[in-house]
Structures are given as C-alpha cells and as structure tokens.
Amino acid sequence: MAHSHAAKKQYSGLMDWLTTVDHKKIGILYLIGGALFFLLGGLEAILIRIQLIKPMNDAIDASMFNQLLTMHGTTMIFLAAMPLIFAFMNAIIPLQIGARDVAYPFVNALGFWLFFLGGLLLNVSWFLEGAPDAGWTAYTPLSSSPQYSGKGIDFYVLGLQIAGIGTLIGGINFLVTIINMRAPGMSFMRMPLFTWASFITSGLILLAFPAITVGLVLLMFDRLFEANFFDISAGGNVVIWQHLFWIFGHPEVYILILPAFGIISEVISTFSNKRLFGYSAMVFATVIIGFLGFMVWVHHMFTVGLGPVANALFSIATMLIAVPTGIKIFNWLFTLWGGHIRFTTASLFALGFIPTFVMGGMTGVMLASPPADFQYHDTYFVVAHFHYVIVGGLVLGLFAGLYYWWPKMFGRMLNEGLGKLSFWTFFIGFHLTFFVQHFLGLMGMQRRVYTYLPGQEFDTFNFISTIGAILMGVGTIFVLLNILITSMKPKNAPADPWDGRTLEWAIPSPAPEYNFKQLPLVRGLDPLFKEKMEGRKEMTPAEPISAIHMPNPTILPFVMSLGLFIAGFGFMYHNYYVAAGGILVTLVCMLLRSLYDDHGYHIEVEELQDKGAKV
Ligand code: HEM
Ligand SMILES: [Cu+2]
C-alpha cells in the first residue's frame, strides 16, 4: 500500500536535537555525550592519581576512592569509549557505504537517548546515596548484598541496564544498515576497513551484551527483591557473576578496539597515499579476532581456581589472538613502507598508536600465561596493561578519527598546530603515567588500594605516574581549545581535505541532509580514489536524480527513554507507582509510534536540482 508522505517537520534549537533521527546529528550527540563522560572519567582518574601521588596521602578517603575508581572504570568503558565509537559509526558508516540513512533511524535515536539517560541515572548517584563502590567489575557477593556495598550499586545496575539496551539496539541498527544499505557495487569485499570493523563490532555487541544484561537482572533481583542467585548460604553461586561479566567483558574490549583498528587503517592508508596493504588479510584478521574474542574470558579468572585444564585452554586461545593482531600491525607497517607519509595530527595519533598498542599487546601475552598471571593478577601491572591497550590503543585511535573526520562532520578544519601540541602532550603524558605502572606491579603494588606505605620503593614511580596523568589532562584541554577556536571560524572545509580514497570524501563537508543526491556507483575498493585515477573528481552516479525519502524528526525516542529513567528511580526506591508510571510512558510511546508513523517526507527533484553538485 503506497504511503502518502507528510510535510517535512522542522524544529529549531534544543527541540531540533531532542527530536532528530538524522544519523549525522545523532553522531554529533554521541560525540558530545561521550566527550562529557570522557572528561568526567578523566577527572575521576586524575583525582585517583592525586591521592596516590605519595604514600599515606589523605587527600581522599577510602570510601571516596572506591567510588572514584568504580565510576572512572565504568564511565570510561560504558559511557565514554563506546559512545565515542558510536559517534563515528553514526557520522561516517552511511557515507562510507554510499547510503542516505541508517536502516532504523527511530531505533538509532532511541539508542542514543537510552545510553545518555542511563549514564545520567548512574551519575546521579554522586548527589544521592553515593556512587557505586565495588569496582567496575562489581564482583558478587561484594555487589549483591546490601550489607557489603552501598545503594550506589542499584544505580550501577539500573543505569547500565538502560544504557546497555541503548547499545544493543544501536548495534542491531548498524548490523542491518551495513547488510542492507550499501550502494550499488559496494560488495562486502569493497567495504572500507572502518565499515568492516564496525560491522564485526555490531555483531559482537549483539552476542556479548545479552550476558551482562542477564547478569544485571540477576543482580537486580538479589538487591531489590531479595533473591539468592549470588548468595552461597541459600544455594547461590558467586563465580557465576564473574563468568557472566567476562563473557561480556572480554568481547567488550574488542567491541572497543576493533573500530579503532578500522580508524587506523583509514588514516594510515590516506596519509601514506597508498592502498592499505593486505586488505583481505585485514578483513579476515578482524573476523578472526572477533571470533576468538569469545573464547578467552577465563583469562580474567585464572586465579579463581577453575583448574589447570580450563586455564591452559583459555591461555592458548588468548595467545592465539596475537596472530591476527600481528597481521594488522605488519600490514599497517607495510602500508607505511614506501608511502608518501604526511604528518598531520590525525596521522601522528595513528603513528603513535602502533608502537603503543604493540606494547600493550605484548604484556597481554605475558598475562595470558596462568603461572605468570598468578603473580601479575590484581597488581598495577594489569592496570598498566589494559591502559596501554585501551588508552594507548582506543583513545589514540579516537583522537586520530576526530582530527580526520572533523571536517566532514562540522565543515571546519581543526587547527593543525594546536593539534600537534595536543598529540605530543597527551602521548608523552600517557607513557609517563602508565609505563612506570608496569614496574609498580612487578614490585608488588596492588591495584584498587587507596594508599600505600612508605619505604617500598613505590614513591617515585607513583609521583611520575601522577604527573603523567596531569599532562594527559593538559593534552585533552588543548583538544578542547582547538575545538572552541575552530568553532568560531567560518565553515570552509572542502569536500576532500585529505585527498581521501573512500566515499565520505566524495560529498560536501559537512554532508548534506540527504548525503548523496544520486547514489554512487562503486566500481572497486577505494571507490573515490578509483574515480580520481580515471580523471574524475566525483563519483559516477548509479541512478538518475529522483525525489528522496527522508524520515521526520520525532520526540518519542527521548520520551521513551525518559520513561525508563523514571522507572529506574521507582524500582530503586521501591516506589512501584513511579516505576509503573515510567514504564507506562514508554509503552504509550511505543503504541503512538506504531499507530501514528507519518512515513517521513520527500525532497523533490526541483529542490535537489537547485543544489549544484551532481552527487
Ligand atoms: C585518560 C586517562 C586515564 C587515567 C589517568 C587513568 C587512570 C587509572 C588508574 C590510576 C586506575 C587504577 C586505580 C586503582 O586500581 O587503584 C584506573 C582504573 C581503570 N581505568 Fe583508567 N585511566 C585513564 C583512562 C581510562 C580509559 C580511557 C579507560 C577505558 C576506556 C579506563 C578504564 C579503566 C578501568 C576499567 C579501570 C579499573 C577500575 C576498577 O578497578 O574497577 N581508564 N585508571
Ligand atoms: Cu580479557
């Protein structure tokens, strides 16, 4: 049945952002939300480091330290790293595959608001009963029994549950978008590496998030409804939580790092002016890493006592991951080899990523050996390792993506001078902070301790580590300064500022509402570069100009998420009227959505013809 199209609904100011279903705008919302939580998580990290700058310090007490530590880890992983990845996936994937939109714009918007309001619910705990304090891993029985941990854990459980649903539906949206929305000719083995990495990441989200969702439901029942899933005296089992958490938790680290790998591949290839070396091997390495990533979770539990057979099997699987990861490292090096390397800020972050991530990977292999891990476990050696892969890997990758795609997202070029200053400050600060932590761990300094005794030779390295953390803070401020100064300049970024190879550089900066006036015909890998090599500046269109269908903005995703936010409070304070009220709001919105979907609006041919460029 043909749908009649509604008129275009137009909002302005705050309402425009609260109602948008445009993936480019949702990308900007994720960038703002993720950046705010990154700054919060960074501030929490600096406070932790200030407390640990010298032995027996009393800047922060033990309870506050536990809250800061828990919130730092939880915020950085769930509310900063992942949303920042979703920012680039939203801003870039539809452009890279030659699509006008994502598969589910409504669901995509809902995913963002669930993440953001879930994150707010978690952080409101600071102002109410105190933040969660059982570590980001929230091991039971510490987290499951109210006698051991504060009410903050209820905020952790419900906040992460809501934000997690947002991530899950966001992942499903991108899985379907990449399968269904590719332009004519864009076969899977012609997709850019960032798209491939995001595709695998979306699959991992689909398979990993249910484990933590189930775990959080069990934890909620134990805490709010006096169930006994994790109460040994009532026949429960505390180790089950660790399995559920890490069956999610380890794939989670690949959900984070694979898109960063994708960004590095894009940036290294563009700024070496060379096709990525070993494209197919890179694709298969990504798939194999994703697959093996589900087979290693017990390496977080070598000291739990699962026995030598289990430990040995998971140790081998963990070490195996080094092989496809190594393929990626060497292919980046071979891409650089013989290339005309341009040292822009984006490429500096990518070049800094490679050796830093290799160092993190090496200590990962060390930790994968169970007998050795018995020494390293729960020491600062582990803290150093995962920050080398998460900050030295993911965060450097995200900064590379920020400087690379900023012109496409905002139509302005970030300042390269300030950019390079932010790189060197952050990079040196990073290695100062975390390199010495390897030795603190080897000397026996435990993690998650709010202070330490003098005379154990921990003092100097802790002092250096704290100075480094502050320097990372300064580097981040340089990035913010750059953004602020640039936002006051006119939008004069060209469509293709870096002489790019992929489709996002074939359309104006920032991308127009409909992305492509005519869908492009993709005739090979690096489609734009292929056209350029044949003397064309623009993509060959795959279709004549015709009216374009676009979805209308709607307030429903925001209100639906608000309903769950309210329900979360109701459950936490055992006020079931409020809980029911919140759920009712969400259900009514779902009903409204299915009854009154206006099927969007059309951009007519005449309108498009006024707009100059062919594609
Ligand atoms: C940006 C600069 C950062 C600094 C200076 C920093 C510093 C620290 C420190 C000192 C600890 C250990 C505290 C302890 O065990 O006593 C820690 C824990 C942690 N950090 Fe970071 N971190 C930073 C960024 C990140 C990022 C970007 C992520 C993730 C995306 C992250 C994830 C974690 C996690 C998961 C923990 C473990 C928390 C726990 O034990 O429950 N950190 N961080
Ligand atoms: Cu792991």
Side-chain angles (χ1 to χ4, degrees):
M1 181 183 79
H3 299 302
S4 62
H5 288 97
K8 179 175 179 180
K9 283 194 194 124
Q10 217 128 22
Y11 298 99
S12 60
L14 180 65
M15 264 312 269
D16 179 28
W17 292 97
L18 288 178
T19 58
T20 188
V21 292
D22 177 346
H23 69 89
K24 298 176 289 297
K25 283 192 178 149
I26 293 171
I28 294 173
L29 286 173
Y30 268 116
L31 195 66
I32 296 169
L36 284 176
F37 284 122
F38 179 78
L39 295 174
L40 191 57
L43 182 67
E44 288 155 352
I46 288 181
L47 290 174
I48 292 171
R49 286 300 338 156
I50 286 172
Q51 166 59 19
L52 294 167
I53 193 167
K54 62 177 181 165
M56 299 309 283
N57 196 5
D58 58 359
I60 290 168
D61 68 23
S63 159
M64 179 48 78
F65 185 92
N66 290 346
Q67 294 178 50
L68 283 169
L69 168 80
T70 306
M71 287 301 273
H72 162 72
T74 311
T75 302
M76 279 298 197
I77 295 230
F78 288 98
L79 306 178
M82 247 186 328
L84 289 170
I85 288 167
F86 266 94
F88 293 127
M89 284 168 68
N90 266 287
I92 300 300
I93 297 291
L95 308 186
Q96 279 202 335
I97 61 174
R100 290 210 170 93
D101 206 340
V102 292
Y104 306 124
F106 183 97
V107 170
N108 195 25
L110 180 62
F112 169 76
W113 289 113
L114 286 172
F115 135 66
F116 194 66
L117 290 167
L120 275 190
L121 183 62
L122 173 61
N123 279 280
V124 161
S125 62
W126 281 115
F127 307 102
L128 294 171
E129 326 274 340
D133 55 356
W136 87 285
T137 51
Y139 277 11
T140 57
L142 174 64
S143 62
S144 55
S145 155
Q147 94 200 71
Y148 298 138
S149 54
K151 194 157 184 57
I153 303 283
D154 297 334
F155 288 85
Y156 171 97
V157 169
L158 288 158
L160 286 191
Q161 195 70 291
I162 295 173
I165 298 167
T167 307
L168 194 57
I169 61 175
I172 293 169
N173 170 51
F174 276 102
L175 215 52
V176 179
T177 301
I178 293 170
I179 293 171
N180 285 350
M181 312 280 284
R182 284 167 290 124
M186 175 64 84
S187 62
F188 276 102
M189 289 313 277
R190 286 178 176 173
M191 296 198 307
L193 252 293
F194 180 64
T195 297
W196 257 113
S198 302
F199 183 54
I200 302 298
T201 284
S202 303
L204 296 185
I205 289 174
L206 190 64
L207 298 172
F209 266 74
I212 186 86
T213 307
V214 168
L216 290 170
V217 168
L218 301 183
L219 196 51
M220 181 177 85
F221 270 83
D222 268 31
R223 290 189 60 89
L224 300 180
F225 308 116
E226 290 160 20
N228 305 307
F229 292 107
F230 304 115
D231 181 354
I232 297 178
S233 64
N237 180 319
V238 294
V239 176
I240 287 285
W241 168 262
Q242 294 190 33
H243 282 296
L244 285 171
F245 184 87
W246 288 115
I247 286 172
F248 150 78
H250 189 86
E252 169 67 6
V253 303
Y254 286 110
I255 288 169
L256 297 180
I257 204 67
L258 287 180
F261 285 166
I263 297 174
I264 300 300
S265 295
E266 305 283 339
V267 170
I268 294 269
S269 163
T270 301
F271 293 111
S272 310
N273 287 26
K274 265 180 70 180
R275 168 179 289 191
L276 188 71
F277 184 94
Y279 171 85
S280 312
M282 286 297 243
V283 169
F284 292 121
T286 311
V287 174
I288 293 167
I289 291 174
F291 180 72
L292 284 174
F294 270 94
M295 313 213 167
V296 296
W297 79 88
V298 162
H299 66 219
H300 295 272
M301 300 162 66
F302 280 152
T303 60
V304 165
L306 301 177
V309 177
N311 280 2
L313 289 174
F314 281 93
S315 165
I316 295 165
T318 305
M319 292 189 183
L320 268 180
I321 293 189
V323 177
T325 314
I327 289 174
K328 283 192 173 279
I329 302 284
F330 284 107
N331 283 3
W332 288 320
L333 295 177
F334 292 145
T335 307
L336 289 165
W337 187 265
H340 300 290
I341 303 173
R342 286 173 284 157
F343 293 96
T344 60
T345 308
S347 69
L348 275 180
F349 273 108
L351 294 170
F353 168 101
I354 297 176
T356 309
F357 188 80
V358 169
M359 290 163 75
M362 291 295 186
T363 53
V365 176
M366 292 164 74
L367 286 157
S369 147
D373 184 56
F374 274 52
Q375 299 305 318
Y376 304 133
H377 190 66
D378 270 355
T379 72
Y380 255 84
F381 189 87
V382 175
V383 176
H385 159 70
F386 69 70
H387 282 93
Y388 259 78
V389 281
I390 266 182
V391 182
L394 171 69
V395 174
L396 292 185
L398 288 173
F399 277 136
L402 190 80
Y403 280 95
Y404 183 54
W405 282 315
W406 190 270
K408 193 50 64 183
M409 291 175 77
F410 297 98
R412 297 180 174 95
M413 306 290 287
L414 287 171
N415 179 288
E416 277 293 304
L418 256 177
K420 289 180 178 142
L421 191 60
S422 70
F423 166 73
W424 286 112
T425 323
F426 193 89
F427 189 70
I428 295 169
F430 167 81
H431 285 284
L432 270 182
T433 309
F434 295 107
F435 190 66
V436 288
Q437 290 185 0
H438 292 102
F439 303 101
L440 283 171
L442 293 173
M443 291 196 288
M445 184 174 174
Q446 287 291 317
R447 62 185 287 195
R448 294 178 170 165
V449 289
Y450 87 106
T451 191
Y452 48 95
L453 292 171
Q456 301 182 90
E457 297 178 31
F458 293 167
D459 310 22
T460 315
F461 282 165
N462 271 296
F463 182 80
I464 294 171
S465 187
T466 301
I467 299 300
I470 293 167
L471 208 54
M472 287 167 83
V474 174
T476 309
I477 291 170
F478 282 141
V479 177
L480 294 176
L481 208 62
N482 199 341
I483 291 172
L484 193 69
I485 292 168
T486 305
S487 67
M488 295 190 239
K489 294 198 182 130
K491 285 187 181 179
N492 56 5
D496 184 12
W498 314 120
D499 190 15
R501 312 173 74 88
T502 43
L503 286 178
E504 71 266 36
W505 307 112
I507 54 175
S509 301
E513 173 195 4
Y514 47 82
N515 298 353
F516 298 89
K517 183 184 280 193
Q518 294 163 279
L519 291 183
L521 176 65
V522 172
R523 298 182 306 126
L525 189 58
D526 291 350
L528 177 63
F529 183 75
K530 191 169 175 58
E531 301 289 324
K532 286 180 189 173
M533 286 306 106
E534 293 170 13
R536 277 184 288 274
K537 271 215 167 51
E538 289 162 356
M539 294 303 298
T540 309
E543 56 172 18
I545 289 194
S546 59
I548 295 174
H549 170 265
M550 297 300 287
N552 254 324
T554 163
I555 193 72
L556 291 179
F558 174 70
V559 180
M560 274 168 85
S561 313
L562 205 57
L564 288 185
F565 178 84
I566 295 165
F569 268 106
F571 278 117
M572 244 184 288
Y573 289 96
H574 299 283
N575 185 330
Y576 298 114
Y577 296 109
V578 172
I583 290 174
L584 195 65
V585 168
T586 305
L587 291 176
V588 168
C589 289
M590 286 164 95
L591 201 64
L592 286 175
R593 166 69 186 165
S594 52
L595 290 179
Y596 297 110
D597 175 3
D598 71 359
H599 302 300
Y601 62 95
H602 261 201
I603 302 175
E604 301 305 339
V605 174
E606 302 68 47
E607 246 182 289
L608 291 169
Q609 265 150 357
D610 299 347
K611 294 205 170 101
K614 240 198 276 115
V615 171

